[in-house]
C-alpha cells in the first residue's frame, strides 16, 4: 500500500491508460501519480483565477478543469486553453470523448463540444441549487445531475426525464454497467 500526499487536492481521475492517477489542487497544479509505485510529478499548472474544483480526462488525454473562471482544457505540449464560462463546480467527459458536461456554480449545466468549447445543450433544474455531481449514460444520450435533487436529462433536447428529491444532497453519480441510471 502506497501513501501519496498531494497538498490541496480537490479532485482526481484515472488517466486513460489506467496506470496513472491525475490529482488537481485548488491552485490548478495537476500531479500525476504512478499507481504501481506511487511516484508523483507535476504535469501542468493550469493558470486558474480563483480556484480549481474538478477535473476529467478524455480518452485522447485532454484534461478538462472546472474552475472559478470557467473551463480550462489542456492537451499535452500545448498551452492550457481557457473557455470563458460562469464559475464551474464539476466536469464530466462523454463516452464518445468529443463532448463534456460542466456544472455551473449557479446550478445549471451545459454540454460542450470538446474541440471548440461550443455549447451544444443547456439545462437548469429549478430548486437544484449548486450541482455536485455529473455523469453521462454509457451511450452519451442522457446526463445525470445531482445537488439538492437528482435529475436525469435528455442531452439532445435538454428536457428533464426524471427527478428525485435528495435529502442531504447528492455527492456522486454513475450509471450501472447495463446502462441504466
Amino acid at each position: 500500500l502506497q501513501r501519496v500526499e498531494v497538498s490541496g487536492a480537490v479532485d482526481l481521475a484515472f488517466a486513460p491508460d489506467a496506470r496513472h492517477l491525475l490529482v488537481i489542487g485548488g491552485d490548478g497544479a495537476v500531479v500525476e501519480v504512478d499507481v504501481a509505485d506511487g511516484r508523483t510529478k507535476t504535469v501542468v499548472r493550469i493558470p486558474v483565477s480563483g480556484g480549481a474544483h474538478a477535473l476529467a480526462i478524455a480518452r485522447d488525454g485532454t484534461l478538462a478543469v472546472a474552475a472559478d473562471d470557467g473551463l480550462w482544457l489542456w492537451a499535452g505540449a500545448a498551452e492550457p486553453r481557457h473557455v470563458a464560462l460562469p464559475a464551474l463546480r464539476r466536469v464530466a467527459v462523454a463516452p464518445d470523448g468529443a463532448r463534456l458536461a460542466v456544472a455551473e456554480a449557479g446550478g445549471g449545466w451545459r454540454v460542450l463540444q470538446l474541440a471548440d468549447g461550443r455549447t451544444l445543450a443547456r439545462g437548469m433544474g429549478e430548486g437544484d441549487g449548486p450541482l455536485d455531481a455529473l455523469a453521462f449514460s454509457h451511450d452519451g444520450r442522457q446526463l445525470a445531475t445531482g445537488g439538492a435533487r437528482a435529475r436525469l436529462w435528455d442531452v439532445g433536447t435538454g428536457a428533464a426525464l426524471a427527478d428525485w428529491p435528495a435529502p442531504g444532497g447528492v455527492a456522486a453519480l454513475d450509471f450501472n454497467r447495463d446502462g441504466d441510471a
Side-chain angles (χ1 to χ4, degrees):
L1 178 66
Q2 295 285 335
R3 180 183 170 114
V4 176
E5 291 187 33
V6 177
S7 179
V10 295
D11 199 17
L12 54 90
F14 273 102
D17 67 8
R19 295 186 322 230
H20 296 93
L21 189 64
L22 295 181
V23 182
I24 189 164
D27 63 355
V30 179
V31 175
E32 180 182 81
V33 179
D34 186 307
V35 175
D37 63 18
R39 285 184 295 168
T40 63
K41 70 176 180 180
T42 299
V43 293
V44 65
R45 289 190 184 278
I46 305 293
V48 297
S49 175
H53 302 287
L55 65 83
I57 306 162
R59 284 187 307 219
D60 70 357
T62 299
L63 178 68
V65 174
D68 287 340
D69 60 355
L71 177 69
W72 288 89
L73 300 170
W74 180 69
E79 288 294 315
R81 179 170 52 104
H82 183 246
V83 179
L85 291 170
L88 302 177
R89 294 175 58 92
R90 304 298 307 157
V91 62
V93 176
D96 64 11
R99 299 168 296 143
L100 56 90
V102 294
E104 298 174 359
W109 58 267
R110 296 177 193 229
V111 173
L112 306 169
Q113 188 72 36
L114 187 59
D116 60 11
R118 183 172 50 95
T119 298
L120 301 173
R122 286 182 84 162
M124 174 67 87
E126 191 173 317
D128 287 350
L131 298 177
D132 292 317
L134 294 171
F136 277 98
S137 62
H138 293 289
D139 62 8
R141 293 185 202 163
Q142 297 174 338
L143 179 71
T145 62
R149 307 189 67 75
R151 294 187 197 252
L152 186 63
W153 304 87
D154 180 296
V155 172
T157 67
L161 302 173
D163 178 6
W164 303 275
V170 176
L173 291 165
D174 201 357
F175 282 77
N176 70 27
R177 298 295 171 219
D178 294 332
D180 299 327

